Amino acid sequence: MSLELGVKSSELRETKRKTITVAVAGNPNSGKSTLINAIAGSRLYVGNWPGVTVEKKSAMFEYEGSKIKLVDLPGTYSLSPYTQEEIIARDYLITEKPDVIINVVDATNIERNLYLTIQMLELGIPVVIALNIYDEAEQKGYRINTKAMEEMLGITVIPTVATKKSGLNDLLKAATEAAANPSRYAPKQLHYSEDIESAATFIQTHLNEHHSSLQKRYPMRWLAFKVMEGDSHMMKEAGLDIDISLIEQATKHLTRAHGDDIESIMADERYAFAAGLTREMVKRPEIRKMELTEKIDKVVLNRFLGIPIFLAAMWLVFKLTFDLSQPFGDWIDGATAGPLSRLAAKAITAVNGPLWVASLATEGVLAGVGFVLAFVPVIFAMMFFITFLEGSGYMARAAFVMDRAMHSMGLHGKSFIPMLLGFGCNVPGIYATRTLENPRDKALTALLLPLMSCGARLPVYVVFIGAFFTTHAGTVLWSMYVMGIALAILMGVIFKRTLFRGESPMFIMELPPYRMPSLRNLLIHTWEKGKHFLIKAGTYIFAVSIIVWFLLNLPWGVESKKDSYLGKTGQVIAPVLEPIGFGNWEAASALVTGLIAKEIVVGTMAEIYAVEQEEQEETTVSEDIREIGASFTAAVGDSIRNVFATFGVTSISAEEDDSVSGLRTVIQKAFTPLTAYAFMAFVLLYMPCVVVAIAMKHEFGTWKWFGVAFGYQMVLAWVVALTIYQGGKLLGIGI
Amino acid sequence: MNLSMLKPGEKGRITKIGVTGPVKRRLMDMGVLVGEEIKIEKVAPLGGPIEVTVKNYNLSLRKKEAEGITVEAVK
């Protein structure tokens, strides 16, 4: 190696030493994310762990002269090699070797939390325990001897109350101190029973002799434990190929004596350690009061009241999410389509810009921006309420109540909320699948979700029902929703036996105590997620809407829509739609634009059938600007009114204007009641819209699941429409 | 006797974890260990899953998973 390179690497080491990497680890529900938010707040950067869709939060900041890089590890109960979260957490600790671990421990539930701590101590990295929710533990009358805890484990313990930001300064001070003196703050090595220790020593000696190169990368004692446990993930990672008979030789007396596998023996040992420590350190009051959580659960999970309370809660979440956000979404939509577009057009005309530039700027760019922004209010509202449900502890109860029903479709209890939100808009529904931990549960939920008839499909139903089914309007509309749900159940059963064959994921879930999430925390969380959507998904959606503008308007100057690229696409597709009752280019083109958002089907039809539209009145620049302000004030008013008038307000109301009633008359000529019904079913079922596609890509990190959804939905829509049309024709109904 | 046979309010001591693989490891990670006392708190309104207390906290699991946990009744 050249001298120059040597200098560089030492410089690198120098800078690395100045930046202290702090990993924050802990059990779910230990208040870890509250603690992170309290420490880093707006400095947090939210992304994903590479290759997976598990969220990664990190922050860089200065603390008393040292540069700190804070990395939030996924909340886990253990460091086993079975769940995505656990693998991420331990791979990070092993490969990135942070300078110090802040281990957030729930002071009200020390024993189970210490089980994870013990596994981290095996790694030899300095650990500082944030003994969080300390106030609640005190209220319960727990007396915790933190000094004893420090002595027994050889680490620093700082009581914290993250919700009140107390203890955080001491915590950071302890962490930087430990990071600066790693040898002094190295945790004590815990000794397990003699037979385990001797087996571990035997394996460790073998590793040191035959795989000495691994010493640089791994703590060898820890690696020996992993080898004993038969942790194939870790052995593969380390490139270890050890003769199984050697491992058996070292462990056979253990397995024989305990009558169990090594992995379980180790879990037992670690828990025995945690139990012992807890006994020494924590004094609980003799008589236990009935706790608030128990009291609430007596009602909320009651055999008779459980379901009604759950449904009421869900109804409230649904109403609030959509009622609160809809006026703002409409405002953004209206402002970009109306006054802002007019302002842009005026500006372009003023500088003598060509007509196509004005069209691209308003109908392409501005419409695209408006389209992205219109989703922001609903995404924010959804994130807010989902975070509230999770933070308060009710999410786990909702899953508990609904699991039986959802499990029969191959889903998880937590799948219910994303599905429910899907009725308002599939997009927040897809994002809400992040509450599901298991990748299989999550994917299946997202696949079935587009069958929930969203608000954007309603305008299509309204037009067609108004044209053909006025006498049975309610029944026909209802049948669309029921059809979606019934087909979701059917597809769930089919997927369970095909794409998702095999053992369904387990349901072993903590029911955490109820806690009131702080508003600050809710807002930070909501903002992080919303921002992420805006940047990641927004770019894609914007690009797509530009492409669509080109599709609709090129070749520039076409007289008839039939000659535009869109019309030509429609003509190509039309024959495929022939057997299902609407094989004409008009319907086909409308369906193509529906891929942007299903409600656009109506707008395109109006345009294609050349329904006369109201001429827009001339407005001045100041009028346009005033209109944006006035409509915003109106939106705020509507939103507030919606919250108070939650009872009786219809969330999804289709707007009706003159163009709609004009469209009805045209449609009555182009369709029959039978083809109209087949068309409605087709709109309900055919491919998810492009925003859902982008949300799926965003949430899963791959286009794969969208591909599956696209494929099965197209086939399903075609088959269902075919059955309706051909069946109806055969029976002579509605021709 | 397995865990799913106990009624709400009844307690048992775990004598064997009959399941294997990831489910077993997960149960043990959550503190469901041989020798541990476990109490049935509730059955969900639709007849499952069940809620238990173990190691001083509340855990829920499906009946199928509870069937794999052998217990002896404790008064």
Side-chain angles (χ1 to χ4, degrees):
Chain A
M1 199 203 280
S2 77
L3 195 68
E4 209 185 299
L5 264 175
V7 171
K8 265 194 186 153
S9 67
S10 76
E11 265 174 20
L12 271 176
R13 232 173 287 135
E14 194 58 40
T15 41
K16 195 173 181 286
R17 203 180 303 154
K18 273 181 197 155
T19 310
I20 300 170
T21 308
V22 183
V24 186
N27 280 192
N29 311 306
S30 61
K32 184 163 68 71
S33 67
T34 311
L35 185 115
I36 293 259
N37 283 342
I39 291 176
S42 58
R43 289 171 296 199
L44 272 181
Y45 171 78
V46 184
N48 278 347
W49 290 92
V52 287
T53 56
V54 178
E55 192 177 271
K56 178 185 186 179
K57 285 192 215 163
S58 53
M60 285 281 249
F61 58 91
E62 296 268 338
Y63 178 78
E64 294 190 345
S66 30
K67 210 173 191 176
I68 294 187
K69 183 184 174 198
L70 202 70
V71 179
D72 181 23
L73 301 182
T76 61
Y77 294 105
S78 170
L79 294 178
S80 91
Y82 295 117
T83 73
Q84 252 184 358
E85 286 80 3
E86 289 171 343
I87 292 173
I88 291 167
R90 65 181 232 181
D91 279 0
Y92 182 85
L93 293 175
I94 291 294
T95 57
E96 300 296 318
K97 298 189 173 54
D99 299 300
V100 56
I101 303 172
I102 289 183
N103 175 208
V104 186
V105 165
D106 178 353
T108 67
N109 192 354
I110 289 190
E111 187 178 342
R112 202 202 59 218
N113 277 255
L114 278 182
Y115 175 72
L116 176 69
T117 310
I118 286 165
Q119 293 181 61
M120 284 188 293
L121 293 177
E122 289 170 6
L123 296 171
I125 302 169
V127 171
V128 174
I129 286 185
L131 197 57
N132 199 29
I133 322 182
Y134 196 76
D135 53 344
E136 213 175 284
E138 281 186 321
Q139 272 167 30
K140 283 185 172 193
Y142 289 12
R143 287 214 316 278
I144 305 170
N145 187 346
T146 54
K147 276 280 154 290
M149 199 169 173
E150 289 186 329
E151 274 161 30
M152 280 187 274
L153 300 174
I155 59 180
T156 318
V157 179
I158 309 284
T160 57
V161 184
T163 45
K164 291 176 188 145
K165 290 193 167 196
S166 94
L168 301 184
N169 203 33
D170 291 341
L171 183 67
L172 280 179
K173 198 171 279 173
T176 43
E177 165 88 15
N181 308 292
S183 49
R184 180 140 56 95
Y185 287 92
K188 273 192 188 156
Q189 203 175 60
L190 304 179
H191 284 276
Y192 299 115
S193 359
E194 271 320 307
D195 44 358
I196 290 177
E197 288 295 336
S198 66
T201 314
F202 177 82
I203 300 230
Q204 197 181 340
T205 315
H206 172 86
L207 290 175
N208 282 336
E209 275 169 24
H210 300 273
H211 305 272
S212 54
S213 62
L214 291 173
Q215 285 172 350
K216 267 184 248 133
R217 285 162 60 200
Y218 305 102
M220 293 308 264
R221 183 178 143 86
W222 179 82
L223 194 62
F225 282 135
K226 296 297 119 181
V227 170
M228 277 169 66
E229 288 173 10
D231 187 333
S232 53
H233 175 85
M234 200 56 235
M235 295 189 8
K236 214 173 113 197
E237 177 83 28
L240 260 180
D241 188 19
I242 296 183
D243 195 357
I244 296 187
S245 64
L246 187 94
I247 306 173
E248 268 171 9
Q249 190 198 327
T251 58
K252 66 170 182 270
H253 66 284
L254 268 172
T255 43
R256 208 179 299 142
H258 292 259
D260 216 336
D261 54 285
I262 299 289
E263 204 180 10
S264 307
I265 298 169
M266 287 301 295
D268 255 334
E269 279 285 316
R270 293 185 182 114
Y271 253 118
F273 221 111
L277 283 170
T278 313
R279 258 196 312 276
E280 294 284 320
M281 292 167 348
V282 187
K283 295 277 164 283
R284 294 200 185 94
E286 292 285 318
I287 306 152
R288 214 173 60 94
K289 289 179 291 186
M290 177 140 139
E291 283 163 20
L292 182 67
T293 296
E294 274 175 81
K295 286 181 196 157
I296 297 175
D297 272 346
K298 263 216 149 73
V299 182
V300 163
L301 300 181
N302 178 283
R303 198 138 63 106
F304 304 104
L305 293 175
I307 299 275
I309 289 174
F310 166 77
L311 291 176
M314 290 304 106
W315 182 75
L316 202 68
V317 167
F318 182 87
K319 293 287 287 180
L320 286 176
T321 302
F322 291 101
D323 286 356
L324 206 65
S325 62
Q326 201 193 15
F328 293 103
D330 289 349
W331 168 71
I332 293 168
D333 216 25
T336 46
L340 276 175
S341 285
R342 287 200 295 273
L343 285 171
K346 272 173 206 152
I348 291 164
T349 340
V351 297
N352 286 325
L355 204 59
W356 71 266
V357 174
S359 169
L360 177 62
T362 57
E363 284 158 39
V365 178
L366 258 178
V369 172
F371 193 55
V372 174
L373 291 181
F375 278 96
V376 170
V378 71
I379 298 280
F380 273 72
M382 181 276 294
M383 289 296 182
F384 184 86
F385 292 115
I386 292 279
T387 312
F388 178 81
L389 286 179
E390 282 190 320
S392 66
Y394 188 73
M395 185 63 100
R397 270 78 185 177
F400 180 71
V401 169
M402 270 327 272
D403 186 69
R404 185 85 187 243
M406 300 310 279
H407 189 51
S408 62
M409 289 163 67
L411 296 169
H412 185 276
K414 282 188 185 171
S415 305
F416 186 85
I417 290 174
M419 293 291 217
L420 175 82
L421 289 169
F423 285 107
C425 175
N426 290 177
V427 178
I430 297 285
Y431 283 108
T433 61
R434 68 177 53 191
T435 56
L436 288 146
E437 285 115 41
N438 187 286
R440 178 194 184 272
D441 286 330
K442 191 173 149 150
L444 187 55
T445 308
L447 277 185
L448 299 179
L449 209 143
L451 299 181
M452 304 299 114
S453 188
C454 69
R457 284 164 239 195
L458 195 63
V460 183
Y461 305 153
V462 168
V463 169
F464 279 84
I465 288 174
F468 294 101
F469 309 107
T470 40
T471 46
H472 298 91
T475 319
V476 173
L477 184 61
W478 183 236
S479 74
M480 284 293 132
Y481 286 84
V482 173
M483 188 191 294
I485 296 167
L487 288 170
I489 294 172
L490 179 74
M491 290 311 296
V493 173
I494 292 176
F495 279 133
K496 206 166 83 175
R497 303 217 163 134
T498 53
L499 215 52
F500 295 89
R501 213 171 24 222
E503 276 286 291
S504 70
M506 53 190 145
F507 182 92
I508 300 170
M509 182 186 66
E510 182 186 1
L511 293 171
Y514 288 105
R515 283 180 184 127
M516 195 60 183
S518 79
L519 185 65
R520 183 190 130 85
N521 219 23
L522 284 177
L523 291 177
I524 291 180
H525 222 80
T526 307
W527 170 243
E528 285 163 2
K529 303 286 174 54
K531 196 172 66 178
H532 206 208
F533 164 81
L534 209 68
I535 298 163
K536 282 280 166 66
T539 336
Y540 277 109
I541 300 169
F542 179 68
V544 170
S545 55
I546 303 281
I547 294 169
V548 169
W549 178 86
F550 280 106
L551 209 61
L552 270 169
N553 290 281
L554 292 183
W556 184 249
V558 284
E559 280 297 303
S560 158
K561 288 279 173 208
K562 195 176 178 180
D563 300 322
S564 70
Y565 286 148
L566 178 70
K568 284 184 183 146
T569 315
Q571 290 172 49
V572 173
I573 295 169
V576 184
L577 305 178
E578 192 61 51
I580 61 175
F582 33 94
N584 51 64
W585 75 268
E586 292 96 333
S589 306
L591 288 171
V592 171
T593 54
L595 102 215
I596 302 297
K598 292 194 173 177
E599 78 255 31
I600 297 182
V601 170
V602 176
T604 315
M605 285 190 139
E607 240 177 88
I608 288 176
Y609 291 118
V611 177
E612 278 185 36
Q613 293 186 16
E614 254 178 88
E615 275 297 308
Q616 283 190 348
E617 285 171 33
E618 279 295 311
T619 51
T620 66
V621 173
S622 64
E623 273 171 359
D624 283 340
I625 294 169
R626 242 177 293 137
E627 189 182 325
I628 298 171
S631 54
F632 179 74
T633 322
V636 175
D638 282 348
S639 177
I640 294 168
R641 256 193 305 285
N642 279 351
V643 175
F644 289 105
T646 290
F647 299 85
V649 179
T650 23
S651 283
I652 335 158
S653 57
E655 289 151 47
E656 193 158 326
D657 51 38
D658 293 345
S659 68
V660 170
S661 58
L663 184 57
R664 262 186 210 149
T665 344
V666 194
I667 283 177
Q668 277 164 348
K669 290 186 197 117
F671 287 82
T672 67
L674 183 61
T675 56
Y677 195 73
F679 188 81
M680 284 163 64
F682 194 85
V683 169
L684 162 70
L685 303 171
Y686 87 120
M687 71 165 293
C689 75
V690 71
V691 190
V692 172
I694 290 161
M696 279 187 180
K697 158 78 169 76
H698 187 189
E699 205 45 39
F700 290 93
T702 155
W703 290 106
K704 181 184 165 193
W705 296 116
F706 167 68
V708 175
F710 181 88
Y712 98 80
Q713 283 191 257
M714 280 298 186
V715 173
L716 185 66
W718 195 82
V719 170
V720 169
L722 182 82
T723 314
I724 293 170
Y725 178 61
Q726 298 295 349
K729 240 178 27 180
L730 217 64
L731 300 171
I733 305 167
I735 315 168
Chain B
M1 181 161 70
N2 72 55
L3 183 62
S4 76
M5 291 149 113
L6 292 180
K7 291 190 182 61
E10 290 180 350
K11 280 186 202 166
R13 187 175 306 282
I14 300 168
T15 53
K16 188 176 187 301
I17 314 278
V19 292
T20 51
V23 180
K24 179 176 189 183
R25 176 68 194 258
R26 171 77 166 187
L27 283 171
M28 296 192 83
D29 283 346
M30 299 303 279
V32 180
L33 307 162
V34 171
E36 207 64 45
E37 199 174 276
I38 192 163
K39 183 184 169 199
I40 306 282
E41 294 289 342
K42 286 183 195 69
V43 177
L46 297 175
I50 60 169
E51 179 191 352
V52 300
T53 352
V54 66
K55 293 235 177 249
N56 215 19
Y57 81 99
N58 298 335
L59 183 73
S60 64
L61 55 160
R62 288 196 185 121
K63 287 215 157 151
K64 204 185 92 201
E65 284 134 8
E67 280 164 10
I69 301 167
T70 317
V71 292
E72 54 182 26
V74 172
K75 290 228 175 103

